[in-house]
Amino acid sequence: MHQERKRILEHSQILQIIKRMAYEIYEQNHKTQELFFAGIDTNGVKISELLKAEIEKISDIRVHLIRVDIDKSATSQPQVSFSTQPEASDFTLIVIDDVLNSGSTMIYALDPFLKMSVSKIQTAVLVNRSHKRFPIAVDYKGFELGTTIQEHIDVQLDDEYSAFLY
C-alpha cells in the first residue's frame, strides 16, 4: 500500500520557525560572545546556516558553523567527522538537525563533542517526532509532531522549503 504524502510545513512556516528558534537561542545564550553550530549533513547544515543568518540580524554573537558527517555504513559504531574543529575551549555548542526520529543520529553527532572542552551543549531540530529510543532532550524544536513509527518525515530545503509526512 502506497501512502500519500501530506505537506506539514510550507516555505513561509519554515522561515517563521527558524526566526523563532533564533530568538530562543539568543535568549538562552545572550551572554555568550560566540556560538558553534554543528549542523548534521545535509539538512542540519542548511538549518544551521539559516539560524546563523537570523542570529546575526538580532545580536552581536559570532556564530561558527561546523558540518557534521555521519557514516552509518560502519559495522559497529558510525564514523563521525567534522568540517572543522572548534578552536575555542569552554565553548557553547548547538547540534542541529532537521528531524529527530529515534535520537540515534543526534547521539552519534554529540558523542565526539563530549570529549572536547565544551561548557554547554544544546540541541535544535526543525521537527521533533517524539519517538525517542535514546534519552535526548531537544532544547529548541521548531515543530512537534506525534507520528506512528511507520510514518516518515521528509524535509526539503532546496529552493522551496517544505516538510512532508508520509
Side-chain angles (χ1 to χ4, degrees):
M1 179 174 131
H2 181 20
Q3 194 168 14
E4 192 86 14
R5 286 183 359 149
K6 176 184 171 194
R7 184 186 305 265
I8 56 171
L9 292 172
E10 58 188 41
H11 190 90
S12 61
Q13 291 171 305
I14 290 175
L15 292 178
Q16 187 60 43
I17 286 169
I18 295 291
K19 187 175 287 197
R20 178 182 48 77
M21 288 174 70
Y23 274 98
E24 290 175 8
I25 290 168
Y26 176 56
E27 281 177 15
Q28 295 300 315
N29 297 286
H30 66 277
K31 293 181 180 175
T32 306
Q33 294 184 359
E34 63 182 354
L35 292 170
F36 288 83
F37 285 0
I40 299 172
D41 200 39
T42 58
N43 279 347
V45 172
K46 181 66 176 170
I47 293 166
S48 64
E49 290 167 350
L50 294 169
L51 285 168
K52 176 184 192 290
E54 288 297 324
I55 286 175
E56 289 175 345
K57 286 180 195 174
I58 61 174
S59 77
D60 293 330
I61 297 174
R62 289 185 313 281
V63 178
H64 307 278
L65 298 177
I66 302 168
R67 188 185 75 246
V68 179
D69 293 299
I70 301 175
D71 179 4
K72 295 181 184 175
S73 67
T75 52
S76 58
Q77 174 102 5
Q79 297 298 307
V80 180
S81 59
F82 308 121
S83 60
T84 181
Q85 294 278 63
E87 298 288 320
S89 61
D90 295 329
F91 58 94
T92 298
L93 173 79
I94 302 177
V95 180
I96 301 169
D97 204 2
D98 58 347
V99 179
L100 183 68
N101 287 310
S102 68
S104 63
T105 300
M106 190 67 77
I107 286 279
Y108 296 134
L110 285 165
D111 185 53
F113 290 109
L114 297 175
K115 297 168 184 71
M116 297 179 193
S117 180
V118 182
S119 62
K120 181 165 41 170
I121 297 178
Q122 299 173 328
T123 56
V125 295
L126 184 65
V127 181
N128 184 18
R129 285 192 56 199
S130 312
H131 278 300
K132 295 186 278 290
R133 284 192 325 235
F134 296 91
I136 291 288
V138 179
D139 297 289
Y140 311 104
K141 51 188 149 218
F143 188 69
E144 183 107 29
L145 186 66
T147 61
T148 67
I149 296 289
Q150 294 77 27
E151 291 175 309
H152 298 282
I153 294 177
D154 179 30
V155 175
Q156 297 176 353
L157 298 173
D158 304 326
D159 298 332
E160 186 66 28
Y161 305 158
S162 56
F164 297 93
L165 173 69
Y166 60 96

